[in-house]
Amino acid sequence: MAHIAKYKASAVGKLCAHYNRWQGIDNPNVSRENIDKSRTHLNYTLGVYEKDGKRFIGKVRGSASWATVKGRIDAVNARAKAEGKRATRKDAVVMADMVVTLPPNVPPEDAYKFFWNSYQYIADRVGRGNLMGGYVHMDETTPHMHVPFTPILDGRFNYKKMCDRKFYQTFHKGLGDRLEQKMGYRPEVELSEETRAQRVYTSRTKDIDKVRGAVDKAVVEPAQQEAERIVAAAKEEAAALLNDAELRKAELVTEIADKEGDLAELDSQLEDVKLDIEDEQDRLECLRQRADGVARDVEELRPIAAEVRGWEAAGKAERGAILDSIAARCAGAARAARAAIEELGDRIWALMRPKKTQRTERNLDDVMREATEVARAAKALSRNHVAPTNSRSRGQAR
């Protein structure tokens, strides 16, 4: 398994101090809790050396330093100046570190062979002239090798172009193929599908968390604040509407109470009017009946009056018969008058039972007044119906 990181010039010195922990050399500038100093003497460095005119890779004595990187920066700047190009930027990536970890399926006796072939493969990918050595650390939790290199491509520092997307996509498979060819079995330098999926998930989860945080800050929080403002305004408006509704309700209750009072008064007035109408109807009925009675009386008195006129012109013999007829007719008229008076009395007693207390006095006055008029009429009728008297006996001569 391999991991690569890039660094600017300011980080080179500290990294070199970490690399140079080899052959029992104790660097006071390096202090880490996961370092077992009893195993530091097992550390070693791989590098290119010459023997009998040939170049080899193996264990060498040497150390990484800022001077190495500085010399390469100066060489690049000199070439750029000669070509009329700009110098290396101060914030440029001037060193990268490839860390190759010993896989679990590689036995300890194959560790050197694993690191040596891995160093060869890295040299082929980034260029041997860019390598600064392979620093194998056996005194940490897991044995691993640091392979620092300067990312110089086409005479300039260009990490982005050297280690592009294709470099990352093909590095582990190519390393696995090389190791399988040289070692006879395939070290587990490639991530398993489960581990790769887990790393992708973890990476995506972090990205999603970042995006979620940005969305919350840019969208959700303002939306929540706006929603809270709208809700508060709606509650305030609802409270105002409710207050208005309560006031209107009170006004309607008052208006309804007033209307009910008016309706009660109108009902009372209507009842009075009904009673007045009933009284007038009763009075009209009495008058009609009285008129009918007078008309009957007149009809009855007309024959009597005719006989009276005949009595004045009749002789003695005829006057007796006329007087008998008049007497009979007057008796009948008297009986009719008494019947009318009795019927009128019944009506008076009926009217004396008032429908409403406040109208009793007026109705009684009207009835008594009508009764007085009828009595007077009956008395007059009786007086007018008296037959003329004869002081002498029927048989006496004048």
Side-chain angles (χ1 to χ4, degrees), residues 225-383:
Q225 294 175 358
E226 180 65 15
E228 291 175 357
R229 186 190 65 78
I230 293 174
V231 170
K235 288 182 177 179
E236 185 175 348
E237 184 176 358
L241 292 175
L242 182 61
N243 187 36
D244 293 341
E246 292 293 337
L247 293 176
R248 181 55 181 163
K249 178 181 177 182
E251 293 176 357
L252 290 175
V253 170
T254 303
E255 291 179 3
I256 291 172
D258 294 341
K259 296 296 183 182
E260 289 178 350
D262 295 340
L263 289 175
E265 185 176 356
L266 289 174
D267 290 340
S268 178
Q269 294 177 359
L270 181 60
E271 187 66 24
D272 293 341
V273 171
K274 288 181 179 179
L275 293 175
D276 291 341
I277 292 173
E278 291 177 358
D279 293 342
E280 293 299 327
Q281 287 177 345
D282 292 340
R283 181 179 179 184
L284 288 175
E285 181 64 20
C286 291
L287 291 175
R288 184 184 64 79
Q289 293 179 2
R290 189 177 64 179
D292 292 342
V294 171
R296 288 194 302 270
D297 294 341
V298 170
E299 292 297 326
E300 292 178 356
L301 290 175
R302 282 179 181 176
I304 296 174
E307 290 183 357
V308 169
R309 287 193 296 270
W311 184 81
E312 294 292 339
K316 289 183 178 181
E318 296 177 350
R319 286 184 177 181
I322 292 173
L323 288 176
D324 293 337
S325 176
I326 291 173
R329 290 180 180 277
C330 288
R335 288 194 298 271
R338 285 194 296 272
I341 291 171
E342 290 178 356
E343 182 180 358
L344 181 60
D346 293 338
R347 291 181 178 275
I348 290 172
W349 285 111
L351 291 176
M352 288 179 68
R353 293 194 294 271
K355 295 181 178 62
K356 208 168 184 182
T357 304
Q358 61 270 24
R359 304 183 55 84
T360 300
E361 295 180 359
R362 187 188 65 180
N363 293 338
L364 185 59
D365 292 340
D366 294 339
V367 171
M368 294 305 296
R369 184 168 54 254
E370 292 175 0
T372 303
E373 292 176 359
V374 171
R376 289 177 180 177
K379 184 177 180 180
L381 180 61
S382 299
R383 185 174 57 251

Side-chain angles (χ1 to χ4, degrees), residues 70-80 155:
K70 179 68 168 55
R72 295 181 184 182
I73 294 174
D74 292 341
V76 169
N77 290 340
R79 180 179 175 179

Side-chain angles (χ1 to χ4, degrees), residues 6-10 12 69 73 86-95 151 156-159:
K6 55 187 179 180
Y7 300 98
K8 298 178 182 179
S10 59
V12 172
V69 178
I73 294 174
R86 60 181 179 83
T88 302
R89 299 194 314 270
K90 293 183 178 180
D91 61 345
V93 176
V94 296
M95 189 184 79
R156 298 189 64 80
F157 285 93
N158 196 337
Y159 175 84

Side-chain angles (χ1 to χ4, degrees), residues 119-173:
Y119 189 81
Q120 288 273 34
Y121 177 75
I122 295 172
D124 294 340
R125 294 297 299 264
V126 302
R128 296 183 183 275
N130 285 324
L131 295 178
M132 297 172 59
Y135 301 90
V136 180
H137 293 165
M138 304 294 292
D139 57 354
E140 295 187 44
T141 303
T142 304
H144 61 274
M145 176 176 64
H146 292 273
V147 184
F149 63 93
T150 52
I152 299 173
L153 183 65
D154 299 329
R156 298 189 64 80
F157 285 93
N158 196 337
Y159 175 84
K160 186 175 182 179
K161 188 175 182 181
M162 175 182 288
C163 301
D164 57 5
R165 181 181 297 273
K166 184 178 180 181
F167 178 91
Y168 284 103
Q169 292 175 344
T170 60
F171 183 85
H172 285 89
K173 185 178 184 304

